Amino acid sequence: AGWRLRPSRTSRVKHLYTLNFTISNPSKNPSASGAVSLERQNLRDRVNALTAAGHFAEAIELLEAPLTRAPRDADLLRTRAMVEHRAGRGGAAAHFAERAEAIETHPNTIMIVAQAKANAGETDEALSRCRTLLAMYPGDVDARLLGDGLSNCT
């Protein structure tokens, strides 16, 4: 049981479009946890910078080794999903988002999967994901807009 940093409820919409992941503290050793946190922070900063510059392949390459070492790390999977999403690769984004969702529910991954399902014509599943997200965050504008659009299609 470690500590976690989570986005605040009021900043949720911002976090949908920026790459953020939880920084976990798996160790009770303060010096080791500081190194893990700093390493994770540096990785996040580098992936964010590359993604913002449109260098998606390089951002994905940076995530490969950490994901190989920790294939069930929901934060890394979510980050990979968000990079794929920003790169316009909905299928890959949904793949990594669903893997992350199987480990830990997060609004970013729910929205990525909802959008991928909508794009694939799976409107009922997409609408279900939007409803889940709206139950978590009733004021989420993106989920409401996607859900309203899907409701009009069914």
Side-chain angles (χ1 to χ4, degrees):
W3 49 269
R4 293 187 176 275
L5 299 175
R6 296 201 175 268
S8 71
R9 185 175 188 152
T10 57
S11 65
R12 221 281 317 136
V13 172
K14 174 186 168 205
H15 290 281
L16 184 61
Y17 295 106
T18 59
L19 300 176
N20 292 292
F21 49 91
T22 306
I23 300 172
S24 301
N25 176 5
S27 168
K28 295 193 181 208
N29 178 342
S31 62
S33 66
V36 169
S37 296
L38 183 58
E39 180 181 327
R40 185 62 67 101
Q41 182 67 39
N42 287 338
L43 174 65
R44 189 199 70 198
D45 291 346
R46 290 172 55 205
V47 169
N48 280 340
L50 288 168
T51 301
H55 300 291
F56 305 114
E58 292 174 53
I60 289 168
E61 188 176 319
L62 277 179
L63 292 167
E64 288 297 323
L67 272 171
T68 300
R69 286 191 304 272
R72 292 195 40 81
D73 185 316
D75 300 327
L76 291 172
L77 290 166
R78 181 172 41 258
T79 301
R80 175 71 185 265
M82 294 174 76
V83 173
E84 296 286 1
H85 180 72
R86 297 268 312 268
R89 294 189 286 261
H95 167 77
F96 287 101
E98 287 176 331
R99 284 180 55 196
E101 273 298 297
I103 300 163
E104 176 183 74
T105 296
H106 190 279
N108 291 348
T109 50
I110 293 171
M111 189 62 170
I112 288 170
V113 173
Q115 290 173 337
K117 296 291 184 185
N119 291 339
E122 299 176 37
T123 55
D124 289 341
E125 181 61 27
L127 193 53
S128 173
R129 300 288 178 132
C130 287
R131 287 182 181 130
T132 299
L133 187 53
L134 286 170
M136 293 169 66
Y137 298 96
D140 189 290
V141 174
D142 297 311
R144 186 161 309 282
L145 288 172
L146 181 60
D148 288 347
L150 291 170
S151 293
N152 293 332
C153 292
T154 57

